[in-house]
Amino acid sequence: MIICKFCVFCVQILAFKSRLNIQKPKMDIQTLYKMKSKFVARKVGNELIIVPLTDNVAQMSELFTLNETAKFLWENISEHASNEDIEKLLTDEFEVDAETTRRDVAAFLSNMDILLKK
Amino acid sequence: MENQQKTFSLSIADFAIQLHSESLIELEDGYLPFLKNIVNKPDIDIECIAGWPDFSFDESQKVFEAKNEVQKFYAIYSINSGLGFVVYNQQTNEIQQIALLNEHFTHWKVYSVTLDDIIMPLKYPMGPIIMHYMTLTSDAVMMHASCAFDGEKGRMFSGFSGAGKSTMSMIWSQAGSQIVNDDRLIIRKTDNGFNVHNTPMYYKDMPKVAPLSAVYLISHSPENKIKKLAGAMAVTRVMAFCIQNNFDKQFIQKRLRIFTEISMQVPVYDLGFVPNQSVVQFIKAHEA
């Protein structure tokens, strides 16, 4: 955390792109779904900003910018959806092959896992 | 004494604030230039009380805590009628103020420790906390930023501690601009756009205001370089330097809405800069 000389509210940002090559997610769609209510989201164009609720300054202002693919994924997480369900939705929506969507979903979940543990 | 009275009226970022007490209130010097008579009902009413209340927050839920490894700043509790605050002295870590804020964020009761029968209800960090919650009553946000006004354009510079906000202020001041402030500002929506206001600091400075013409997110660099930001990236990058307590969804929704509006109306740039006068011409050349 960065503390400014005159202020007690210090904040930090982590703007983040979801497409990274991380292969082994420790989080699954259902875990993320349960955490979704702890975020506030706002659409800006084709992107989505998500901001986690927090109870202290150390975790404040972890603002995440989700690209179009990640935004679609975030918006389609539902109570009973599995990783496979989401991968199928992505494949249909963006007309890409199954291996690409599997990698994208895995990368997204890995990123969320890392960011939520900060 | 000018800084010791039972009532004070202040105008900060065009918010009318009234403090009143049965005891003598002492304001820190930085507030004195912001004293102003209020004709209408104040936007923010602060009832200042000497001594401690006969209640505690023991049964209340703590919703937010501002502290770091070495000291506590303040804690916020959810109470039936709004929020409760416990604010700590930055030198001694002892409780300095206990405050209640109503659900509309318009009325404070601030209990303060007394010294020679005088209370200091706005003593840091209580003052900035009140100003922060004041911005939540309107289309306004409080920022870590500096702002230089050349008589036509107000250029706001923001970045992490050490990024060069004060350096940039000095450079623009030498180039003839007025520095609105080099650390803490309030951006407030107007009929035509957004204005940038200074706020009371620990030193005396006159109230200042400038139109918000551009936002620069700065960092030191071996050469001057600039990149215009757009969309969600512009919103998040600017919002990162907003002063905020993100324990309430409504606070975050409001901030996201305002910063989306700001980013749509005001250009936002990533600026790497060399700390000398060359950056002034560089910025002006790229604004066109």
Side-chain angles (χ1 to χ4, degrees):
Chain A
M1 186 176 68
I2 296 168
I3 289 283
C4 296
K5 191 166 48 173
F6 306 123
C7 184
V8 294
F9 299 92
C10 283
V11 297
Q12 218 172 1
I13 185 172
L14 222 169
F16 131 88
K17 295 282 184 185
S18 69
R19 281 176 180 248
L20 296 179
N21 286 322
I22 299 170
Q23 299 292 328
K24 295 176 182 173
K26 293 172 185 169
M27 178 180 283
D28 61 22
I29 289 291
Q30 276 308 299
T31 307
L32 191 57
Y33 173 75
K34 287 169 188 160
M35 302 186 81
K36 202 175 167 185
S37 64
K38 295 178 182 172
F39 287 82
V40 177
R42 184 182 175 94
K43 284 182 197 173
V44 178
N46 290 330
E47 298 170 297
L48 192 75
I49 299 169
I50 56 172
V51 184
L53 289 163
T54 182
D55 60 0
N56 63 56
V57 284
Q59 294 171 5
M60 274 174 63
S61 291
E62 300 256 336
L63 300 148
F64 310 136
T65 305
L66 305 188
N67 64 13
E68 193 174 358
T69 314
K71 171 173 163 279
F72 180 84
L73 198 156
W74 179 266
E75 289 173 338
N76 283 281
I77 297 170
S78 58
E79 189 173 358
H80 301 296
S82 64
N83 286 27
E84 291 71 27
D85 294 334
I86 295 296
E87 287 167 15
K88 173 77 170 52
L89 279 173
L90 275 174
T91 305
D92 294 345
E93 177 70 18
F94 294 99
E95 297 180 354
V96 289
D97 61 80
E99 177 56 25
T100 302
T101 53
R102 190 197 62 76
R103 204 168 53 237
D104 276 359
V105 171
F108 178 78
L109 291 171
S110 291
N111 279 323
M112 292 307 295
D113 189 41
I114 292 165
L115 293 168
L116 291 171
K117 283 178 180 168
K118 276 182 172 289
Chain B
M1 290 172 69
E2 184 195 16
N3 67 335
Q4 292 182 355
Q5 297 175 29
K6 289 191 174 181
T7 61
F8 285 103
S9 299
L10 299 160
S11 176
I12 300 171
D14 290 336
F15 287 96
I17 303 160
Q18 186 158 39
L19 294 97
H20 52 95
S21 178
E22 293 178 358
S23 305
L24 267 182
I25 300 168
E26 181 176 325
L27 293 184
E28 292 163 299
D29 287 350
Y31 288 92
L32 302 182
F34 291 80
L35 293 175
K36 188 176 180 181
N37 286 334
I38 297 173
V39 177
N40 299 318
K41 187 183 170 197
D43 300 308
I44 308 296
D45 178 78
I46 306 172
E47 184 180 348
C48 308
I49 301 155
W52 301 122
D54 57 3
F55 58 82
S56 77
F57 299 132
D58 290 347
E59 304 293 317
S60 303
Q61 183 195 358
K62 188 193 285 184
V63 291
F64 193 84
E65 190 161 36
K67 65 178 182 181
N68 61 22
E69 295 77 10
V70 290
Q71 66 183 154
K72 292 187 282 190
F73 297 106
Y74 60 96
I76 305 176
Y77 296 83
S78 177
I79 55 175
N80 287 339
S81 52
L83 295 172
F85 294 74
V86 177
V87 180
Y88 297 93
N89 183 294
Q90 299 305 287
Q91 278 75 47
T92 65
N93 255 359
E94 292 173 346
I95 293 174
Q96 177 178 280
Q97 291 107 353
I98 292 174
L100 301 174
L101 176 60
N102 72 342
E103 59 185 333
H104 304 297
F105 300 165
T106 53
H107 183 89
W108 288 85
K109 277 188 181 179
V110 180
Y111 298 83
S112 308
V113 64
T114 56
L115 187 64
D116 297 330
D117 293 328
I118 294 169
I119 51 174
M120 296 184 72
L122 300 187
K123 185 176 178 181
Y124 184 89
M126 191 73 234
I129 292 169
I130 289 174
M131 286 187 265
H132 168 254
Y133 281 85
M134 174 178 83
T135 63
L136 286 166
T137 66
S138 180
D139 284 337
V141 289
M142 207 166 157
M143 298 287 298
H144 284 301
S146 63
C147 181
F149 180 44
D150 66 3
E152 183 188 351
K153 292 184 175 179
R155 299 175 177 91
M156 195 174 84
F157 303 97
S158 200
F160 290 121
S161 187
K165 294 190 291 291
S166 296
T167 304
M168 193 63 95
S169 292
M170 190 179 67
I171 290 168
W172 282 88
S173 177
Q174 288 167 352
S177 285
Q178 179 193 57
I179 305 307
V180 178
N181 191 256
D182 69 355
D183 186 67
R184 189 175 68 213
L185 301 163
I186 288 178
I187 301 176
R188 192 158 186 198
K189 191 177 178 181
T190 68
D191 291 341
N192 307 315
F194 292 91
N195 277 349
V196 182
H197 300 259
N198 66 334
T199 66
M201 303 296 288
Y202 64 90
Y203 53 86
K204 275 188 180 179
D205 193 15
M206 296 305 293
K208 296 172 193 164
V209 61
L212 180 61
S213 308
V215 177
Y216 296 89
L217 303 168
I218 59 173
S219 58
H220 290 288
S221 169
E223 59 178 356
N224 292 321
K225 57 182 183 181
I226 194 165
K227 181 185 173 189
K228 193 169 183 180
L229 301 174
M233 186 55 73
V235 177
T236 54
R237 290 285 309 280
V238 181
M239 187 168 161
F241 302 109
C242 164
I243 294 167
Q244 50 199 309
N245 290 167
N246 284 350
F247 62 85
D248 188 303
K249 283 191 174 184
Q250 288 183 39
F251 298 172
I252 301 175
Q253 282 163 346
K254 189 175 172 65
R255 295 287 184 242
L256 282 168
R257 181 179 59 75
I258 294 173
F259 281 106
T260 303
E261 274 189 55
I262 291 172
S263 301
M264 287 172 68
Q265 293 184 34
V266 178
V268 178
Y269 301 95
D270 219 345
L271 176 75
F273 78 102
V274 181
N276 61 38
Q277 286 294 321
S278 68
V279 71
V280 173
Q281 283 311 314
F282 181 80
I283 284 176
K284 287 182 175 177
H286 283 82
E287 282 175 342

